[in-house]
Amino acid sequence: TLLLPINALAQQAATDSSIVSNASISNSVYQASFFEQYSPQNALEMVQRLPGFKYDQGENNRGFGGNAGNVLVDGLRPTSKSGGLSGALIRIPAALVERIEILRGGIAAGEASGQSVVANVIKKSSGTSGTWAAKLRRAPDGNTQPNIEAALSTNLGDWDTAFDLDTGGGPGYREATIIDRDQSQQLISGADEIFENTGRWFFSNGQGSKEYHSGTLTLNGRIGADRRDSKVNRRIFDMRLPDQTAADEELDIDENRKSKMAELGIDWLDKGDLWKLHLIGLGLIRDSRYDNEIIFEDFSESEQSTTSFEQDSLKTEMIARATFSYNGQEKLKPEYGFEIAQNKLTSESTYRENGSLVSLNGADVEVQELRSEVFATFVYPHSDNLTFEGGLTGEFSEIKVTGEAANRQTFQFLKPRLSATYKLDNTSQIAITGERSVGQLDFGDFAASNQAQDGNIVSGNPNLAPDKEDELSLTYDLSFSEKGSLTVKLFHEWQQDILEQIILPLGGNRVGNAGDARFWGVVTDINLPLDGLIENGLLEVFHRYRDSEFDDPVTDDTRKISGYTPRFIGMKLRQDLVDDQWAWGIHYESHFMEEHYRAEEQISFEGNDRFHAFIETTRFFGLKMQLEVRQMNTGEFTRSRNLYDGNRAEAFLGTQVSSRTREPEYKFSLWGTF
């Protein structure tokens, strides 16, 4: 019902000669001048304003090959992992971008495998330019945190370099009312809760490229540290709702997370006349610590109990990758390669109750994965309108767990992929893709963990295996004006060995391979110019409908899989008053609900319709200024827990409903260049 009126408006806009720009549609090239109306500071902001282009920064899975996003820089994928594609684009000031090309039909599959529509950022050959940003974020309790960002691109001798830093903090605050009821819905207790958190971080990136021997050598580096501290104060009232009288109990939770990391990447590319050799090496290390302390006090009994959980973890990743791809004039363009990766996590945990050490299953664990891939991919433009792209990857891996729970597993996977893209005309295309993929295990699931606010300890599982997925998708893309576009994707996934909480044969609850499931849906993105109604106005609409089916191993019932939002609608309205140097916009997010299933409880989380707004200008002092208000109508979220006696197949014990409120939050930003 939503698409019918919007499609009608799109057809009307496409016939409006004042809007249509055939040059931009047929050539799919956007010169830097196109983006001036948005006053972008860097290449990322330019990419995010591309008409009809949905930015995908890729995944952060194991290895390098399976994490490609849909943006290239000078035809190449940036060689970094923890900083990601977004970090690489932020390091490119807008002043150094010559144009952005839209590549369709899988023609860039070697560097952005699996992406049918790719943006290629073309930089100017040389130059020096820098940008900076100063931001202030204010939470509803008045906690205000600054954030400073800066980026510089310049030539240092033979090196083409780029540097950036991002340092500052982010506040958070919410209030909640929590109601506990028994199985007959009789009131057990009420509570009021205040949650405060503050994040602080510092990250810096550097990149340098130069001609070396017969190719181009690129070095990437990243260092950084971050910390997040949160506090919960919960006043509990027995057998009554919260009021102004003295509480019967009080619960205080103090959580602290901090980590530091470093990454180094080496990239060498030799573009031969017929074949291109690309060598990549990456190393990443992350040292993290998490601790919490929970203090519960019963005023009527003058009793106090304390629990604490501490976890130290060290994660390392080493990657070596080589590709050899055809660069000649023949239609068929194959690529061959291999990748070797080693991932390792060492985790040590302790749990205490009133100072006494309590044994944990999976307290001290070391997980190591050695994985190798060999692959062959191809792009074949059968005609001007029809392009085939695909490949086959063989994966061989071993996961070794040592410590209290030892185990060793070996895996072999074949991962085929085939995609066909057909250009219906200069404005539209359709793509059909079939692919088998293997999921990324969270090594933290091999170790014990603590869910402080729910009071749960989860055991580690040494027997985890990667989940698998077979996906068939159909995607339709339409460009109907300089800014107008429509993308619709239908997909169906057959998932095996999905990861959900299960009950172990000897008791205990932990994440495990829970069985097979189906997952399907439709994703719609629309960019609709509103020139006939609002001068230089643009309405972006994104709609998600997703559903699933899964046989629950705990209850033997058929249910949805955990952790996704079945239905969601978002809208962004923006107007750029170019001559007046002002812009404003409103962002709408619809009501949502998602379900999470643990072995002993079912959790639902939902939120109300929310509105965000901004106003920005470039009229003063040569700076770009923006004031943003998030949740301007107040965010209202409800988290409901259905609790059971041991597991969800046993007796129902009652509910806990937390009604959370997030008042409006403000952010003021300044951007400049140097």
Side-chain angles (χ1 to χ4, degrees):
T1 57
L2 173 67
L3 293 180
L4 292 177
I6 290 181
N7 280 335
L9 287 171
Q11 294 172 2
Q12 180 181 356
T15 60
D16 187 343
S17 60
S18 66
I19 301 175
V20 172
S21 173
N22 291 325
S24 68
I25 297 172
S26 59
N27 296 331
S28 296
V29 175
Y30 295 88
Q31 300 294 335
S33 57
F34 171 83
F35 302 95
E36 291 178 356
Q37 59 188 310
Y38 305 117
S39 302
Q41 301 300 297
N42 52 57
L44 177 60
E45 294 182 16
M46 299 172 78
V47 166
Q48 291 172 334
R49 301 311 307 173
L50 281 169
F53 182 77
K54 189 67 175 178
Y55 172 59
D56 178 3
Q57 66 178 347
E59 304 292 335
N60 191 29
N61 294 336
R62 56 183 176 173
F64 186 80
N67 302 311
N70 61 353
V71 178
L72 305 176
V73 178
D74 290 331
L76 298 174
R77 176 184 172 188
T79 309
S80 61
K81 187 170 183 183
S82 59
L85 179 57
S86 293
L89 295 174
I90 288 173
R91 289 194 292 276
I92 305 174
L96 295 185
V97 176
E98 181 176 307
R99 66 186 184 276
I100 301 180
E101 303 170 346
I102 301 297
L103 310 176
R104 301 180 185 274
I107 60 177
E111 292 290 338
S113 180
Q115 304 284 359
S116 61
V117 180
V118 176
N120 186 23
V121 178
I122 305 300
K123 296 169 55 181
K124 295 180 180 178
S125 57
S126 62
T128 298
S129 182
T131 63
W132 61 268
K135 304 175 182 180
L136 283 175
R137 295 176 173 88
R138 184 182 185 277
D141 63 341
N143 184 11
T144 302
Q145 295 290 328
N147 178 205
I148 302 295
E149 302 170 5
L152 172 67
S153 291
T154 189
N155 296 319
L156 297 177
D158 295 334
W159 291 87
D160 181 12
T161 64
F163 307 92
D164 76 86
L165 66 86
D166 180 1
T167 183
Y173 178 86
R174 65 165 166 78
E175 298 178 353
T177 299
I178 302 173
I179 306 298
D180 285 275
R181 298 182 184 275
D182 63 17
Q183 63 269 34
S184 60
Q185 290 302 292
Q186 296 298 310
L187 180 66
I188 298 175
S189 67
D192 55 32
E193 180 182 270
I194 293 176
F195 172 81
E196 302 172 280
N197 73 291
T198 301
R200 298 179 178 86
W201 63 85
F202 173 86
F203 290 99
S204 181
N205 299 271
Q207 175 182 304
S209 301
K210 66 173 292 185
E211 297 302 312
Y212 183 74
H213 288 290
S214 59
T216 302
L217 175 67
T218 301
L219 303 179
N220 288 280
R222 176 177 173 86
I223 58 171
D226 64 270
R227 176 170 184 150
R228 181 165 296 277
D229 302 315
S230 63
K231 297 182 181 296
V232 171
N233 175 257
R234 186 181 301 171
R235 300 190 312 137
I236 304 169
F237 301 81
D238 290 340
M239 306 298 293
R240 68 189 195 279
L241 297 177
D243 53 33
Q244 299 302 314
T245 62
D248 298 294
E249 295 104 21
E250 187 169 65
L251 180 70
D252 288 291
I253 304 173
D254 190 353
E255 291 185 273
N256 305 281
R257 296 176 173 88
K258 58 183 179 181
S259 68
K260 50 188 177 182
M261 59 80 58
E263 178 185 311
L264 177 64
I266 303 175
D267 181 320
W268 187 71
L269 174 67
D270 181 9
K271 285 189 176 180
D273 293 335
L274 290 178
W275 292 88
K276 179 176 69 175
L277 177 62
H278 199 176
L279 305 177
I280 294 173
L282 273 173
L284 171 68
I285 182 169
R286 182 182 297 275
D287 187 5
S288 303
R289 179 177 175 82
Y290 167 77
D291 63 77
N292 69 56
E293 183 179 52
I294 304 174
I295 301 175
F296 177 78
E297 188 168 3
D298 186 337
F299 298 116
S300 62
E301 301 292 337
S302 298
E303 293 180 351
Q304 178 175 294
S305 61
T306 302
T307 64
S308 64
F309 180 84
E310 298 177 353
Q311 185 174 57
D312 291 292
S313 60
L314 180 66
K315 178 181 179 181
T316 59
E317 183 172 12
M318 305 293 290
I319 302 170
R321 179 180 174 87
T323 59
F324 196 52
S325 54
Y326 180 69
N327 199 34
Q329 299 300 315
E330 298 296 329
K331 279 190 173 183
L332 179 63
K333 291 181 169 56
E335 179 181 74
Y336 309 98
F338 70 87
E339 179 174 304
I340 300 173
Q342 182 190 57
N343 298 274
K344 184 177 180 180
L345 173 71
T346 302
S347 176
E348 298 178 353
S349 304
T350 57
Y351 178 64
R352 290 180 171 84
E353 293 182 356
N354 297 318
S356 299
L357 192 64
V358 178
S359 176
L360 291 178
N361 187 354
D364 298 321
V365 170
E366 180 179 281
V367 187
Q368 182 171 294
E369 178 190 48
L370 181 63
R371 180 182 56 83
S372 62
E373 288 185 349
V374 292
F375 54 87
T377 64
F378 73 91
V379 176
Y380 178 66
H382 179 268
S383 65
D384 291 341
N385 295 329
L386 179 62
T387 300
F388 294 98
E389 183 260 326
L392 180 65
T393 299
E395 177 183 319
F396 311 90
S397 65
E398 178 187 74
I399 298 179
K400 180 180 179 182
V401 183
T402 57
E404 298 174 355
N407 193 30
R408 183 193 297 264
Q409 301 179 85
T410 59
F411 303 98
Q412 298 179 7
F413 304 110
L414 281 179
K415 300 181 289 187
R417 182 181 186 279
L418 181 62
S419 176
T421 302
Y422 185 75
K423 294 183 180 180
L424 302 172
D425 51 40
N426 284 338
T427 66
S428 61
Q429 71 173 29
I430 190 168
I432 302 175
T433 302
E435 181 176 19
R436 180 170 178 81
S437 59
V438 177
Q440 168 65 48
L441 286 173
D442 182 351
F443 281 10
D445 290 332
F446 287 86
S449 61
N450 180 220
Q451 298 158 345
Q453 295 192 41
D454 290 338
N456 292 334
I457 294 288
V458 179
S459 301
N461 186 354
N463 301 308
L464 292 175
D467 60 314
K468 281 78 69 178
E469 175 184 296
D470 297 308
E471 180 182 26
L472 182 64
S473 65
L474 175 68
T475 304
Y476 173 72
D477 287 292
L478 168 68
S479 297
F480 54 81
S481 72
E482 185 180 64
K483 298 182 182 179
S485 65
L486 168 67
T487 300
V488 180
K489 177 181 178 180
L490 293 86
F491 68 90
H492 195 292
E493 299 174 0
W494 293 265
Q495 301 180 355
Q496 302 92 43
D497 294 326
I498 72 169
L499 297 170
E500 299 250 357
Q501 270 205 16
I502 61 174
I503 304 171
L504 298 180
L506 299 179
N509 307 324
R510 63 177 70 176
V511 174
N513 297 104
D516 300 341
R518 295 191 303 122
F519 187 50
W520 64 89
V522 58
V523 178
T524 306
D525 291 278
I526 303 170
N527 284 6
L528 185 63
L530 301 176
D531 295 71
L533 301 173
I534 301 175
E535 181 182 358
N536 207 27
L538 181 68
L539 178 65
E540 301 176 54
V541 181
F542 36 99
H543 174 257
R544 309 285 185 267
Y545 166 76
R546 298 175 291 185
D547 205 349
S548 65
E549 188 175 272
F550 171 59
D551 292 332
D552 192 330
V554 176
T555 63
D556 293 328
D557 295 329
T558 299
R559 63 164 172 87
K560 301 179 186 298
I561 61 177
S562 289
Y564 70 93
T565 302
R567 295 175 179 83
F568 181 79
I569 296 176
M571 298 184 186
K572 292 182 179 179
L573 172 63
R574 179 185 176 106
Q575 183 184 23
D576 290 275
L577 305 172
V578 180
D579 293 338
D580 296 325
Q581 297 178 283
W582 286 91
W584 64 275
I586 296 176
H587 180 191
Y588 163 76
E589 294 180 308
S590 72
H591 169 273
F592 71 90
M593 175 180 283
E594 59 187 41
E595 302 283 348
H596 298 265
Y597 295 86
R598 297 174 180 169
E600 78 287 358
E601 62 181 292
Q602 177 183 347
I603 301 173
S604 64
F605 186 72
E606 64 177 310
N608 65 326
D609 297 323
R610 282 149 291 132
F611 293 89
H612 322 287
F614 76 90
I615 184 170
E616 68 181 37
T617 183
T618 56
R619 288 179 63 93
F620 308 105
F621 314 113
L623 303 175
K624 179 180 176 180
M625 307 179 185
Q626 185 188 82
L627 177 63
E628 180 183 7
V629 184
R630 294 194 58 80
Q631 297 161 168
M632 56 189 301
N633 64 320
T634 301
E636 297 178 356
F637 306 91
T638 302
R639 184 175 187 263
S640 302
R641 302 171 64 194
N642 290 334
L643 307 173
Y644 297 84
D645 186 11
N647 64 73
R648 286 182 287 104
E650 302 300 331
F652 174 64
L653 296 180
T655 62
Q656 182 185 85
V657 178
S658 175
S659 301
R660 301 173 175 181
T661 301
R662 289 188 180 271
E663 299 290 338
E665 299 178 358
Y666 300 87
K667 182 171 74 170
F668 179 70
S669 304
L670 289 174
W671 291 271
T673 60
F674 59 90

